[in-house]
Amino acid sequence: MTIATSTGAIAAAAPKLTVEHARKSFRQANGGDVAAIADLSFTVRAGEYVAIVGPTGAGKSVLLDCLLGLKTLDAGQILIDGRPVQNFVREKKGHITRIFQEDRLLPWLSATDNAAFGLQIQGVAEKDRRASAAKWLEAVGLSGFKEALPRELSGGMRQRVNIARAFAPNPELVLLDEAFSALDDVTATRLRQDFKTLAQAQSTTFLIVTHSIDEAIFLANRILVFGAPARLMAEIAVPPHAHEDRVLSDRIKDEVRTLIAAGARVH
Ligand SMILES: Nc1ncnc2c1ncn2[C@@H]1O[C@H](COP(=O)(O)OP(=O)(O)OP(=O)(O)O)[C@@H](O)[C@H]1O
Ligand SMILES: [Mg+2]
C-alpha cells in the first residue's frame, strides 16, 4: 500500500490498528477492582501519526502493554491489519517497537548491540544486525559512539540509541510513551525534530502517548483525548504545520486541556 502524506490519502488508507470495546481492570491490594481501560474504541490507519493524551492514570501505558501483547484485555479486542494482536506479535516478531521514557537499554551492551536488539529477536544474523544497527546509529547522530556503553552516554544520547533500536527492525507500528519527557527542553525539542525527520522517511504507523500537547501537535496528524479510565472523549484533527501556527495551536491546546480536565478521575 502506498502511504501518502496528504490527509486525504491517509483517510483512504486501511486500518492498521483497531481497538474495539477494550476493557481492562486490576485487582487492588484492598480487594477492589480498578478499571484502567473502560470501553475504549478507536482506529489508526496505516501511515498515521496518532497522539494519545489524557490525565495521569488514564490507562495509556496499560493500553500500550496490551498492544505489545504483554497484557491481555478482559474484554473487547485489539486488531492489527484486521487480525488479533496476539497473532501479529507471534507471527511478526519485533515489528511493534517502542520508545519509552525510561531508556531501558541493557547496561552491559554497547550502543550498537542495544540498537541491534530487536533484530536479534527477529533472528537476523549477527553481521547483518550490527550493520543495520550501525546505520541507524549514524542516522540518529551517534556515529562516534557505536561501541559506547549506556553509562557513557547522556540521557539524550541514550534516547537516540532507543530511537535507533525502535527503527532498526523495520517496524510496522512504533509506540512512544513519554519518549522525550525526561529530557531538558532544548534536547527534547531537538530529538523530537530528528525523530520526526527519520519517521517521515519510513512508511510506518505511530502511536504517541504524551502529556505534552505541544509534542502531540508537532508529531501527530490526529490527537485522541482519553478520559480516565481509558475511553475516547474526543478526536482532534491536527492540520499539517499546525505547530507553526500560534493561533491554531493555542486553540487546539485549549480544547485538549479542557477535555483532559473533564476526563480526569475524581479523587
Ligand atoms: N499491574 C498493575 N496492578 C494494579 N493496577 C495497575 C497495574 N498497572 C496499572 N494499574 C492501574 O491502572 C491505571 C492506569 O495506569 P497507567 O499506568 O496505564 O496510566 P497512564 O495513563 O499511563 O498514566 P500516566 O499518564 O501517569 O503515565 C492506574 O489506576 C494504575 O494504578
Ligand atoms: Mg503512563
Side-chain angles (χ1 to χ4, degrees):
M1 182 196 322
T2 311
I3 305 299
T5 48
S6 83
T7 313
I10 286 172
K16 185 72 193 172
L17 164 68
T18 310
V19 176
E20 284 180 350
H21 300 295
R23 288 181 187 278
K24 175 84 182 164
S25 294
F26 290 99
R27 180 56 50 90
Q28 300 299 95
N30 66 10
D33 282 343
V34 63
I37 301 176
D39 200 17
L40 176 67
S41 299
F42 67 91
T43 300
V44 176
R45 289 177 288 275
E48 265 198 301
Y49 292 63
V50 172
I52 295 176
V53 300
T56 192
K60 304 179 296 292
S61 297
V62 170
L63 173 68
L64 296 195
D65 279 351
C66 295
L67 289 174
L68 288 159
L70 302 175
K71 288 190 170 82
T72 49
L73 296 174
D74 299 335
Q77 57 180 352
I78 297 173
L79 305 173
I80 309 266
D81 296 332
R83 298 167 58 239
V85 69
Q86 305 289 356
N87 295 19
F88 184 91
V89 168
R90 203 169 40 240
E91 291 159 20
K92 287 197 163 180
K93 284 199 173 36
H95 282 281
I96 303 178
T97 61
R98 55 189 178 178
I99 307 168
F100 286 169
Q101 177 174 358
E102 330 83 79
D103 61 46
R104 299 193 189 192
L105 298 177
L106 296 171
W108 59 89
L109 292 183
S110 67
T112 302
D113 289 334
N114 266 297
F117 197 72
L119 296 163
Q120 192 172 353
I121 293 166
Q122 292 182 337
V124 175
E126 185 179 352
K127 189 164 152 288
D128 295 339
R129 63 178 190 252
R130 284 186 67 86
S132 173
K135 185 196 88 176
W136 275 102
L137 287 176
E138 283 161 26
V140 298
L142 291 179
S143 314
F145 297 90
K146 288 179 188 154
E147 296 313 314
L149 292 171
R151 68 167 179 270
E152 298 169 318
L153 302 172
S154 69
M157 291 158 98
R158 288 201 299 272
Q159 211 54 330
R160 286 181 183 276
V161 178
N162 267 308
I163 293 172
R165 177 164 72 174
F167 278 124
N170 199 17
E172 296 191 23
L173 181 61
V174 180
L175 310 175
L176 280 71
D177 196 352
E178 297 297 339
F180 308 104
S181 58
L183 306 172
D184 72 78
D185 206 40
V186 173
T187 306
T189 302
R190 198 175 300 143
L191 230 69
R192 279 187 203 109
Q193 179 63 65
D194 290 353
F195 168 82
K196 187 173 178 175
T197 305
L198 291 171
Q200 285 175 335
Q202 316 299 310
S203 47
T204 301
T205 308
F206 294 88
L207 201 56
I208 302 148
V209 170
T210 179
H211 284 300
S212 163
I213 309 172
D214 281 317
E215 179 176 312
I217 294 171
F218 180 65
L219 292 179
N221 61 275
R222 195 152 57 96
I223 300 175
L224 306 181
V225 186
F226 281 14
R231 62 190 193 282
L232 187 61
M233 298 187 68
E235 297 187 49
I236 297 168
V238 182
H241 306 293
H243 64 281
E244 292 162 349
D245 181 335
R246 186 71 179 270
V247 175
L248 176 58
S249 57
D250 279 353
R251 195 184 322 136
I252 294 173
K253 273 195 264 187
D254 282 348
E255 190 180 350
V256 170
R257 278 200 202 101
T258 306
L259 285 159
I260 291 175
R265 280 178 211 264
V266 181
H267 288 286

